[in-house]
Amino acid sequence: MRGLRPVVGIVLPALFFASACLNTAPAQVKADLILTNGAVYTMDASRRWAEAVAVAGGKIVWVGDEADTVRLRSDSTRVIDLGGRMVLPAFQDSHIHLVSGGIDLGQCILNDLKSRDEVYARIREYAARNPGKDWIVGRGWELPLFPAANPSKEDLDRLVPDRPALMTAADGHSAWVNSRALAVAGITRATPDPKDGRIERDPRTGEPSGTLREGAADLVERHIPEPTAEDYLEGLRKGMALANRFGITAIIDASVDDNILKAYRELDRRNELTVRVLATLEVDPARDVGQLPSLIDKRRMAPGRRLKATAVKIFADGVLESGTAALLEPYLNRPGDRGPTDLEPGLFNRLAVALDKEGFQIHIHAIGDRAIRMSLDALEAARLANGPRDARHQIAHLELIDPLDIVRFRPLGVVANFQALWAWPDPYITDLTLPVLGPARSRWLYPIGSIVRTGAVVAGGSDWPVSSMNPLEAVQVGITRVEPGVANSPAWIPEERTDLATMLAAYTINGAYLSREENLRGSIEPRKAADLVVLDRNLFDGPPAQIHAAHVVRVFLDGMEIYADEGVKGPASWSP
Ligand SMILES: [Zn+2]
């Protein structure tokens, strides 16, 4: 309930009236689709349960007991007996890179590989399978697999000796390149670090060692051939198909450039979008407030059937693991170094005030406690300058929040967008973060429970392709804070656990709120769009540690079935 304060007044009465209304209406609405015999978690303001849902014209027309569905049936009504399975509002991923991730699916994918040898084997095999590619490009290697998160050009030279190669890390903030790639970019011992990045070097010789941090990767990336317009469309199609399989029918694309926006507009024009899209337009700090007219232009051109571009993205800092997140106190392994910010507080405030005034929703990447404080300060400056308004700005990632800032989200109306899947003690935390922050600060890594307890609105996203798109994995870790699928493993700061209802709200109604569509969707109530997901089991019945094992059986968008796993027969049992 806490998280839903902004929408309570709107959604509360609907369920009471709908049933009575249809019972007495002489000209009966006949349903196109009826889902019966289910465990329907409506996600309405009272979190009510129902047995059946009826849909007509893409909208939910009725929610309630099974017996009442009889009068809504006609000969043409499709009736699906759910056999006790669970129905939820379809999921929203509120921080995802759907098009770029979809394009990456055609690259050398290194995500989830558990050893260096597996990474080497995958790259060698990919290069052999793609003899026609001028560049070997991949992504997804995990930083902890390499000493000091610092893979070498020699290793990549052995795997790809004949062409330039660039492998982006799973978090997107480091790149591993071979000697050919360094040569193409003209990077030598004499090349200085760019302002916004670092060229890792051999400490003895000063030679570039093969890992490039942050902006230093651009020095090489700019030489990789650009994907074509068709590549963008194909990437979007691949990303959407994957999203639908996970029960996702709405997204916030967290970083949309002109090519990506073009792809969204094109598929929306062709009626091929199977997700609702809030596109977040990239803000270039170097262009200051002078870029507002062009952002306003893009926003004006975007709206379509399932697309809008009313949000803007600002990066406040980098990531903790490579020392580029902005901290209030120095990194323990870098005396005096508190990490850089992507923009000065003065510029940040100026941009926030101007963007807020124009009605943009500001979506901030902030990871370190200094970056998060600076972000809250900028959004506070906007509120002071322009007056309080229904702004729905958000900060995403929120890895290290200073306890003093936890209470600021709710009064400022800032939505906290967590990637809850990251909140278990994986090597990113235990090997790369805990040692450089120390235990006292690390207590405040991913303080989801504390933010929930303040009553702030909490939303969720995967940051895919950074990590798995499956919302159920993130929901599970938000509740358990232990590694999914591993019995008896330790929890990361168990005090910061939250509950299932809260996590499901983060991926449904609170996402809809963040996209300003909570009156249209996000809960299962009459007059809302029939965006629904059917799961093979009731998540409330089994152990939280098994939530990730639940399967998506059917997905509906505007009442249309866009995914069905016909292989799933009966409801799954919870036995391991
Ligand atoms: Zn992101």
Side-chain angles (χ1 to χ4, degrees):
M1 286 298 291
R2 278 192 290 259
L4 275 174
R5 200 166 297 280
V7 299
V8 162
I10 302 154
V11 295
L12 192 59
L15 191 73
F16 287 127
F17 296 149
S19 177
C21 213
L22 288 174
N23 275 332
T24 52
Q28 280 289 349
V29 174
K30 292 299 178 193
D32 309 322
L33 170 71
I34 296 177
L35 305 177
T36 68
N37 189 21
V40 181
Y41 191 57
T42 62
M43 201 58 74
D44 73 355
S46 307
R47 302 293 188 260
R48 258 170 287 218
W49 289 85
E51 292 172 349
V53 184
V55 175
K59 297 252 188 279
I60 295 163
V61 293
W62 185 89
V63 183
D65 293 341
E66 164 135 27
D68 295 331
T69 62
V70 175
R71 68 200 158 71
L72 293 162
R73 296 184 192 195
S74 73
D75 291 346
S76 58
T77 303
R78 180 183 178 202
V79 179
I80 300 176
D81 184 334
L82 296 170
R85 292 189 187 125
M86 187 180 202
V87 184
L88 284 160
F91 300 125
Q92 167 158 335
D93 189 319
S94 295
H95 186 109
I96 189 168
H97 305 276
L98 196 71
V99 180
S100 44
I103 292 174
D104 291 354
L105 288 178
Q107 299 180 346
C108 179
I109 304 292
L110 306 171
N111 292 81
D112 301 322
L113 299 181
K114 297 280 184 264
S115 73
R116 253 180 285 172
D117 285 341
E118 285 176 47
V119 169
Y120 296 156
R122 178 73 57 85
I123 295 172
R124 194 179 286 117
E125 172 212 358
Y126 179 89
R129 232 181 334 109
N130 292 279
K133 285 193 192 291
D134 294 338
W135 279 71
I136 295 299
V137 179
R139 69 167 301 126
W141 55 274
E142 305 288 348
L143 298 170
L145 291 181
F146 297 90
N150 213 349
S152 75
K153 63 183 177 191
E154 289 81 9
D155 284 340
L156 196 48
D157 288 345
R158 271 194 295 278
L159 306 167
V160 189
D162 55 338
R163 289 165 280 178
L166 178 142
M167 303 286 145
T168 306
D171 70 355
H173 293 262
S174 294
W176 172 26
V177 295
N178 66 1
S179 298
R180 289 225 173 200
L182 289 168
V184 168
I187 299 175
T188 66
R189 193 167 45 174
T191 310
D193 285 351
K195 215 169 77 222
D196 58 345
R198 189 169 67 242
I199 301 166
E200 297 290 357
R201 299 164 197 271
D202 183 312
R204 288 170 304 115
T205 62
E207 284 291 333
S209 63
T211 304
L212 306 171
R213 307 291 183 201
E214 305 289 343
D218 297 343
L219 302 174
V220 173
E221 276 165 4
R222 67 170 70 119
H223 297 278
I224 299 173
E226 283 290 320
T228 63
E230 191 47 49
D231 291 337
Y232 279 93
L233 292 182
E234 205 37 49
L236 174 50
R237 288 192 191 98
K238 281 188 180 144
M240 283 194 303
L242 193 57
N244 293 158
R245 274 175 44 194
F246 287 126
I248 296 166
T249 61
I251 61 151
I252 297 179
D253 190 314
S255 196
V256 171
D257 64 16
D258 290 351
N259 291 317
I260 293 175
L261 188 59
K262 232 198 246 159
Y264 280 125
R265 287 181 59 198
E266 180 60 23
L267 288 203
D268 192 47
R269 197 183 58 76
R270 297 188 205 169
N271 267 342
E272 287 179 28
L273 282 187
T274 58
V275 287
R276 304 179 192 278
V277 180
L278 169 53
T280 308
L281 304 170
E282 287 177 347
V283 172
D284 177 1
R287 292 173 61 205
D288 209 318
V289 294
Q291 67 198 296
L292 256 83
S294 98
L295 291 170
I296 292 167
D297 260 5
K298 288 178 203 172
R299 177 175 65 182
R300 192 184 315 122
M301 313 257 285
R305 187 158 164 256
R306 287 181 179 148
L307 172 67
K308 58 188 177 186
T310 52
V312 287
K313 175 72 170 290
I314 296 176
F315 280 89
D317 65 347
V319 295
L320 286 165
E321 295 84 355
S322 49
T324 53
L327 302 180
L328 291 166
E329 300 296 331
Y331 287 89
L332 299 181
N333 61 337
R334 300 171 190 274
D337 181 3
R338 300 191 301 149
T341 56
D342 280 34
L343 68 184
E344 294 302 313
L347 171 58
F348 201 166
N349 291 4
R350 201 158 58 241
L351 280 168
V353 169
L355 292 162
D356 176 78
K357 186 152 186 262
E358 282 299 336
F360 281 106
Q361 285 182 266
I362 303 171
H363 182 150
I364 301 168
H365 163 119
I367 284 184
D369 49 8
R370 188 166 101 253
I372 292 166
R373 178 165 298 170
M374 193 171 81
S375 304
L376 290 165
D377 289 348
L379 296 176
E380 191 170 65
R383 202 176 168 94
L384 283 172
N386 302 327
R389 58 175 72 198
D390 185 15
R392 308 192 194 186
H393 301 312
Q394 61 157 313
I395 306 177
H397 306 324
L398 297 169
E399 292 188 22
L400 180 68
I401 312 183
D402 187 273
L404 290 175
D405 290 321
I406 284 175
V407 294
R408 296 178 68 196
F409 286 78
R410 180 163 175 208
L412 287 172
V414 176
V415 176
N417 185 342
F418 284 104
Q419 284 58 61
L421 181 55
W422 303 347
W424 60 272
D426 65 354
Y428 283 88
I429 290 183
T430 57
D431 299 358
L432 297 177
T433 303
L434 187 53
V436 302
L437 294 182
R441 272 188 291 183
S442 296
R443 158 66 185 82
W444 298 104
L445 285 170
Y446 309 104
I448 303 177
S450 291
I451 290 274
V452 167
R453 287 188 285 275
T454 67
V457 178
V458 170
S462 64
D463 207 10
W464 185 81
V466 172
S467 40
S468 163
M469 203 198 284
N470 185 354
L472 294 176
E473 291 178 34
V475 164
Q476 173 174 323
V477 176
I479 302 166
T480 63
R481 296 176 75 95
V482 308
E483 181 174 8
V486 178
N488 303 319
S489 56
W492 180 253
I493 318 287
E495 304 90 296
E496 295 296 345
R497 287 176 184 144
T498 184
D499 60 21
L500 178 55
T502 301
M503 286 308 300
L504 291 176
Y507 280 88
T508 56
I509 188 67
N510 290 3
Y513 169 79
L514 197 42
S515 292
R516 293 191 188 283
E517 292 176 354
E518 77 279 10
N519 294 334
L520 305 173
R521 61 178 180 86
S523 60
I524 302 177
E525 297 179 84
R527 290 183 290 274
K528 286 200 173 182
D531 296 2
L532 305 167
V533 58
V534 179
L535 302 179
D536 67 346
R537 65 195 84 185
N538 185 339
L539 301 179
F540 286 87
D541 283 352
Q546 286 298 315
I547 287 172
H548 72 283
H551 281 287
V552 170
V553 183
R554 296 180 191 281
V555 183
F556 298 89
L557 172 60
D558 283 326
M560 288 252 304
E561 190 168 77
I562 55 170
Y563 174 76
D565 183 353
E566 302 290 357
V568 179
K569 297 278 186 260
S573 78
W574 278 105
S575 52

